Every structure is written in C-alpha cells, then in structure tokens.
Amino acid sequence: MLPALYVVVLVCLCGLAAGASHIPAYASLAGRSDEEIALFMRNHPTPGAQPPPPPIKDTSSKLVNDRLHPWLPLLPGQIRGVCPGLNTLASHGWLPRSGVATPGQIVTAVQEGFNMGSDLAQIVTYAAMLVDGNHLTNLLSIGAKSRLTGPDPPQPALVGGLNTHGVFEGDASLTRGDAFFGDNHSFNESLFDEIVATSQQFGGGKYNLTVAAEVRFNRLVASEQSNPEFFFGFPRFGTAYAEAAFPLTFFIGGPAEDNVPTNLNASLDLDVMKGFFRDSRMPKNFHRREGPLGLDIIGGALGFLSDAHPFPPGFNTGAGNYTIDQRAVDILTGNAEIDLLCALYLTFVNTTIELYPRPTGLLRKSIAVNLHNLYLPLVAVNDSAGCPEQFPFGKF
Ligand code: HEM
C-alpha cells in the first residue's frame, strides 16, 4: 500500500500536469504558477518574443480577394472573434486560417490585406499581444475559446485571446454585445439592424462618417443605461472611436479619396459591411485601399466622431449611474502632462504589470521585448521626453 502522503503528492502533481497540459499554445500565461509555466515550457516550443517585421514596401491598391486568398468556410476548431478585420484576414488566408498567429504575422497581414499603416498595426497588435497573447510561444488567438481551449482555468488565470473582456475588448461595440450580458464576441444581428436603420436615416442607406458618429454615440448611451458594469475609460475610450472609423478607412478599399477618414462622402455599402462583420468575407474583386493609413491620419476621424457627440470617459456603478473619469478628461483636453497615445501606452504597461506581477526567465524577457515593440511606433509620433519608455521588466 502507498503511504498517504505519497498518494497526496502524486494526486497533486497529476492534477497540476493535467491543468498545465490543457493550456493551449496560444493561451495567456497570466495568473499561472511558476510550476505550470515550467511544465508548459517542457511541452511547447518557446521561441519567445521577436522584433516586429519591417513595413511592407508596396503600398499601392491591389486585388486582395485574389486566387491565392479565397474565402473559405470555417472548419471545426478554427477560431474567429471580436474583430471583423482580423477575422476576414484569417478567412481569406492572409492570416493562418486557424485564427492563431504570431504578432509579426498580424502586423504584416493587416498591411498586406488592408493597407493599415505599420505604426498603427504595431501599436494595436503589440497592445493586444501584451494582455491577450502567449509570450513564450509568441502566439495570439484572434478569438479565444474553442474546443481546443479545454475547460477554463481557475481565476486569476486568463483563457487569453482577443475575446478576453476588459483588457482590450470592451463595451459598446458596434456589432457585439457587452460581456456583462454574456456573449461579447459573436456577430449580433439586432445590433447590425440598428446600424442599417441609422444608415437609412443619416446616410442615404449607406454607412458613412455621420452615421458612424450616431451609431457610436447610440451604443454608448445604450450601454451606459443598461450595463451596470459599463466601462468607458482607457483603453476603451481610444479603441471605440477608432473601430467605428475602421469600416470606412479599410472596408471601402480602392482609390485613396474614397476612404480618407475625414471624407464625409466616403460611404460603405451595407451588404459589403455585413459581409465583413458577419461572414469575415471580402466582396468580390476587393482591392485594398490606396496608400497606408496610420497614426498620422486616423486622428482626424476620431476627432470628428467624438466631437459630433461628446461622451466623456468614465464608468458605471450600476446601470445609468455614470462617473466621469476626470483624469482621462484632462488628458483628452490637453490639461495633463501626457497625451492620449501616451495614456494608452501607460495603460497597457500597467495592465501588463498587474497580469504578470513576478515573471521570471524567458517569460520576463519576452514581456519586456513586447513592451518595447509597443513603444517603438510611439516614439516616432510622440517625443520620447513627453512619454518616456517604461522598463518594469528590465531592458533587453
Ligand atoms: C492590427 C491588429 C488588430 C487587432 C489586435 C484588433 C483587435 C480588435 C479587438 C480586440 C476588437 C474588439 C474591441 C471591442 O469592440 O470590444 C476589435 C474590433 C474591431 N476591429 Fe480590430 N484589430 C486589429 C486590426 C483591425 C483591422 C485591420 C480592421 C479593419 C480592417 C479592424 C476592424 C475592427 C472593427 C470594425 C472593430 C469593431 C467591431 C464591432 O464593434 O463590432 N481591426 N479589433
């Protein structure tokens, strides 16, 4: 007979091994114990974080729904999530069709498929990688749960992937519900119907900048009125406006004048829009936009949308009980020592520290490298004295 202590130890080790071996290669390691991480490293290749790829050279408009990138229906186990842009790139094979990719693959694919500027691509991708990705395998899921993910890990561990609520994904999305109500990642037909109705009222039946401002505002008001946990501080404040402009800047495609973000005449056909949002599908003959759209020009669209219907950053404590975040207001109105981009950077730095309070070895180094990757495009548009780089995980 085995001594009782031996049995207890054996049971614990088996439980630990089973738990850690359930962690998919793309899942976040936030909240995992040192033992789970060590076991994970024994079971997976761990290249760690890598430097970002160089910007693409040819940024002309070109056919991207081409013979080499046909739309294909989803196979079991393939992951899609909250972002119609990334979903579409995966369903056309510009990203791995599995829905799991390296940040480098994402940075290149959003440039190749949509001509997103490399600086914007890097900021968005490395922000997501820091809070939702696996720093050891260097993989990020563009959704999250699938049958490959297995059972959810116990708190505070995260399943990871872009669907994870609160670190990047947020409330008042255009076509996805709030996490508080259950499903924060599936296409929601009723929400799209609201976009259709608003487009009929303000856009002659198409989605344009005026419609985007109305839809953006209506979704904020609806969440503020109904969601007791509604959150509209950083980073959500920045991403919510950008995402309302993205259909115009990236889903129209073709000549530059048709999709500059402040062109009030730029309009998107609603069937085409639904194709991207619901089916992850480019229209036939889709050409990506002419020329990259990066940090230097997206600001105009964001300003238009937020000026049309100001909605100050803040959060609910109970449905309809909204508190304005004064610090965030000061940043937006230029009354703070940092600007919006820097505030977004610092938010992701702080969230990463909360998720990984004491990482060691390769994990620590990889987080440090990914933080640096996030900072790189920021220095180009921001003077580094106004937004000094942070090194909470050391310099590598
Ligand atoms: C560069 C890497 C990208 C990452 C990491 C990313 C990530 C995300 C995430 C996490 C959301 C959910 C936010 C929320 O509503 O709660 C989102 C939404 C969205 N993304 Fe992306 N995205 C990327 C690129 C793109 C591109 C290239 C496009 C357009 C071509 C795009 C279009 C959109 C749109 C339109 C939404 C709003 C969906 C809705 O509110 O229903 N994204 N993205």
Side-chain angles (χ1 to χ4, degrees), residues 18 58 62 74 98 102 113-114 160 162 167 191 227 231 252 254-255 258 261 288 292 323 325 337 342 360 385 390 393:
D58 172 11
K62 69 170 187 185
L74 275 187
S98 63
T102 67
F114 289 118
L162 292 184
V167 283
L191 291 178
N227 178 352
F231 179 80
I252 295 177
D258 289 344
R288 71 181 184 193
T323 304
D325 177 346
E337 70 295 355
C342 190
T360 55
Q390 308 292 306
F393 303 95

Side-chain angles (χ1 to χ4, degrees), residues 89-107:
L89 291 169
S91 286
H92 280 269
W94 285 101
L95 278 174
R97 292 182 188 267
S98 63
V100 175
T102 67
Q105 285 173 319
I106 295 177
V107 168

Side-chain angles (χ1 to χ4, degrees), residues 82-86 89 106 110 114 116 120-121 124-125 128 140 162 168-171 173-176 236 243 246-247 250-251 277:
V82 281
C83 174
L86 299 182
L89 291 169
I106 295 177
V110 296
F114 289 118
M116 181 181 259
L120 182 57
V124 182
T125 303
L140 173 65
L162 292 184
F168 192 128
E169 189 283 330
D171 293 328
S173 308
L174 305 184
T175 64
R176 270 69 178 166
R236 187 58 185 143
E243 288 157 16
F246 279 0
F250 297 117
F251 292 159
F277 275 78

Side-chain angles (χ1 to χ4, degrees), residues 25-41:
Y26 54 80
S28 161
L29 292 170
R32 298 289 183 176
S33 67
D34 290 348
E35 290 76 15
E36 284 177 300
I37 291 170
L39 188 58
F40 179 85
M41 289 182 79

